Amino acid sequence: MKGLYWQQNSSGEEATFVFLEKDNLPVTRDNYVKVQVKACALSRIDDKLLSEIKIKKEFLPVGREIAGVVLETGNKVTFFQPNDEVVGILPLDSEESGLCEVVLVHEHYLAHKPEKVSWLEAAGTIRDGLRAYTALHYLSYATPGKTVLVMDGASPFGTIAIQLAQHRGAKVISTIYSLEDKQYLERLTPSVGVKQPLVARIIDETNGTCDLTESCLEETGGLGVDIILDAGVRLYSKENEVTSQQLLPHKHDIISLLSVGGHWVTMEENLQLDPPDSRCLFLKGATVSFLNDEVWNLSNMQQGKYLCILEDVMEKLSSGVFRPHLDDPIPLYEAKVSMEMVQKNEARKRQVIQL
C-alpha cells in the first residue's frame, strides 16, 4: 500500500513529502479496527512536539484526521462492527499514513460518523471541532451573556470556534486580515432560527491601523472580553518584524482587553509574561491557558471525555451547527502539493484529500 510521509533530512536540507510503499497490514486483533479510508484531512506536522516526546523517525506519516468504513474488527472490539462508518484522529505515534487506502487503528481513537455527514466534512471538521471544544468547554466555558473574541475568525479553526460560541449563546467578536475573510464572516449565519450574522462585530486588521483594544472595549461597554482565543501573539515590539507578525496583537493588548475573571486561551507556545503582565492578570483574576489539543491522546486518563467530544462534534456537524470552512476535494495525486502549503501555513481553507 502507498502512503504519504514526511522525510526528515538530517543533513540540514529542507524536509520533503514522499509517497512510500508500505507492507500489508498485520492481522486485525484485540482492540484494533481495520478501516478503509474515504477522506483524510491535512494538518501541520509539529516536528518540535514530536521530538520533545521522543518520536523520532526518518519518515513521519502524513494525514491523521480520517473518515472511512470499518472492514474488519479485532476479537476485543466492542464499539464497532464491519460496515460501520467512522471518523477519528490517528495518534501521534501512529506508524501509518491516513492517506493509505486501509489503516489499522485502535477503537478508542474512533467515533461513529452520522449517515447524513459526508466523508469530507467529517474528516475536515473533527480536529477543529476537538480544538474548539477544548478551548470553549474545558479551558474556558462559553455561556449566554459572555463575550468571546476569536482571532482570525475566517480560519478553519476560527470558523468552528465562532459557531460553537454562538450556539452556546455567547456574543462573538472576530478579527479578519483580508477582504475575502470579511465577506466570508458576513455570510456566516445560523443554520436554524433568525438569519443574522454569527459575528456581532468584525474588526478589520488588514492594514494594522484598527485599535483592537479600543474596538473590543467599545463593543463591551468598557467591561472587556470574557474569553479570548488567539491565533498567535506578538511578544515584543520590533521595527524589523515580518508583516505577518506585525498583524498579530501584542500580548499587552490581549491582557488589557480581558474582563475581570476573563480567560485567555492562547496557541502561542513560547508565551512569556513579564511581572507587570502577571500583576495585571492577578488584579483582574484572569487566567491564561495553553491550547494544545494533542494532550487528549498523550494520556489515557481522559479517554472517555475525548470520545464524547468526538461524538458531539459529529452530532453538531449532522445538525448543521458546525459548517466547516473546507476547500474543494483534493485528489490523492495532489496531496504532496497541498501538504506543502499546509506545512507552510499558506492554506486558508481546510485541505481534505478524497480517496
Side-chain angles (χ1 to χ4, degrees):
M1 293 188 303
K2 184 181 291 186
L4 185 62
Y5 292 79
W6 193 33
Q7 184 175 10
Q8 301 271 63
N9 297 317
S10 57
S11 58
E13 300 175 7
E14 185 176 354
T16 55
F17 295 98
V18 295
F19 281 105
L20 294 179
E21 287 286 347
K22 302 296 288 184
D23 297 333
N24 291 330
L25 294 176
V27 176
T28 307
R29 57 177 175 274
D30 295 338
N31 294 93
Y32 282 83
V33 177
K34 188 176 289 186
V35 178
Q36 181 184 5
V37 180
K38 297 290 187 178
C40 177
L42 302 179
S43 54
R44 189 176 180 276
I45 297 175
D46 190 343
D47 56 323
K48 184 179 179 182
L49 172 63
L50 292 174
S51 65
E52 287 174 342
I53 60 176
K54 310 302 181 185
I55 298 179
K56 295 183 179 180
K57 306 173 186 174
E58 182 183 358
F59 295 99
L60 290 170
V62 171
R64 293 172 50 210
E65 301 88 62
I66 63 169
V69 179
V70 174
L71 297 179
E72 189 180 335
T73 61
N75 59 337
K76 294 183 180 179
V77 171
T78 57
F79 296 145
F80 306 102
Q81 56 188 5
N83 299 320
D84 280 353
E85 297 183 352
V86 296
V87 60
I89 302 175
L90 299 179
L92 277 169
D93 59 354
S94 174
E95 298 286 341
E96 302 172 42
S97 166
L99 293 172
C100 288
E101 292 182 5
V102 180
V103 297
L104 200 63
V105 56
H106 197 286
E107 65 172 332
H108 290 167
Y109 296 115
L110 297 173
H112 289 277
K113 180 189 80 67
E115 287 187 15
K116 65 186 294 186
V117 173
S118 72
W119 302 114
L120 297 173
E121 288 177 331
T125 308
I126 193 68
R127 179 175 291 279
D128 291 319
L130 172 66
R131 190 174 293 167
Y133 260 88
T134 305
L136 294 173
H137 185 79
Y138 290 97
L139 300 181
S140 63
Y141 198 70
T143 55
K146 288 189 176 180
T147 304
V148 179
L149 170 62
V150 179
M151 310 296 292
D152 194 12
S155 65
F157 164 66
T159 298
I160 298 298
I162 286 172
Q163 292 166 352
L164 180 59
Q166 196 277 340
H167 176 71
R168 292 192 159 189
K171 177 181 181 180
V172 182
I173 305 172
S174 182
T175 61
I176 52 97
Y177 299 102
S178 69
L179 177 60
E180 291 79 7
D181 289 353
K182 183 177 182 181
Q183 293 171 342
Y184 172 73
L185 289 186
E186 288 175 341
R187 294 194 301 267
L188 269 185
T189 57
S191 57
V192 293
V194 181
K195 295 297 181 181
Q196 60 183 12
L198 291 179
V199 182
R201 178 161 182 167
I202 299 173
I203 301 173
D204 192 343
E205 296 272 284
T206 305
N207 302 316
T209 56
C210 184
D211 191 318
L212 176 65
T213 305
E214 182 179 322
S215 299
C216 289
L217 291 177
E218 177 185 327
E219 187 65 30
T220 58
L223 297 177
V225 176
D226 298 299
I227 301 171
I228 299 174
L229 306 186
D230 71 34
V233 295
R234 272 189 300 145
L235 302 180
Y236 308 103
S237 296
K238 295 181 180 179
E239 295 181 358
N240 59 351
E241 279 183 322
V242 294
T243 305
S244 61
Q245 281 290 315
Q246 289 177 338
L247 294 177
L248 293 175
H250 196 280
K251 60 179 179 178
H252 300 311
D253 297 331
I254 295 286
I255 294 172
S256 298
L257 57 86
L258 267 177
S259 68
V260 172
H263 302 276
W264 174 14
V265 182
T266 182
M267 287 191 263
E268 179 52 65
E269 61 184 43
N270 297 315
L271 180 66
Q272 299 179 37
L273 295 179
D274 301 320
D277 301 329
S278 299
R279 180 65 180 173
C280 186
L281 289 169
F282 169 77
L283 292 174
K284 292 185 175 187
T287 63
V288 179
S289 302
F290 292 88
L291 179 55
N292 175 17
D293 53 279
E294 298 291 0
V295 297
W296 293 104
N297 285 331
L298 293 177
S299 170
N300 292 328
M301 289 184 63
Q302 306 291 334
Q303 198 69 42
K305 291 181 180 178
Y306 173 70
L307 292 176
C308 283
I309 294 174
L310 299 189
E311 295 282 358
D312 210 36
V313 169
M314 287 298 104
E315 187 276 325
K316 283 183 169 49
L317 186 58
S318 176
S319 63
V321 173
F322 287 163
R323 283 158 295 148
H325 197 186
L326 304 180
D327 210 337
D328 294 331
I330 301 167
L332 183 59
Y333 63 83
E334 292 184 5
K336 285 174 62 175
V337 175
S338 297
M339 189 59 203
E340 288 170 357
M341 292 174 54
V342 171
Q343 194 65 24
K344 296 176 183 176
N345 288 324
E346 294 176 352
R348 288 298 297 162
K349 298 179 181 180
R350 179 63 67 202
Q351 307 290 296
V352 185
I353 308 299
Q354 189 171 31
L355 281 78

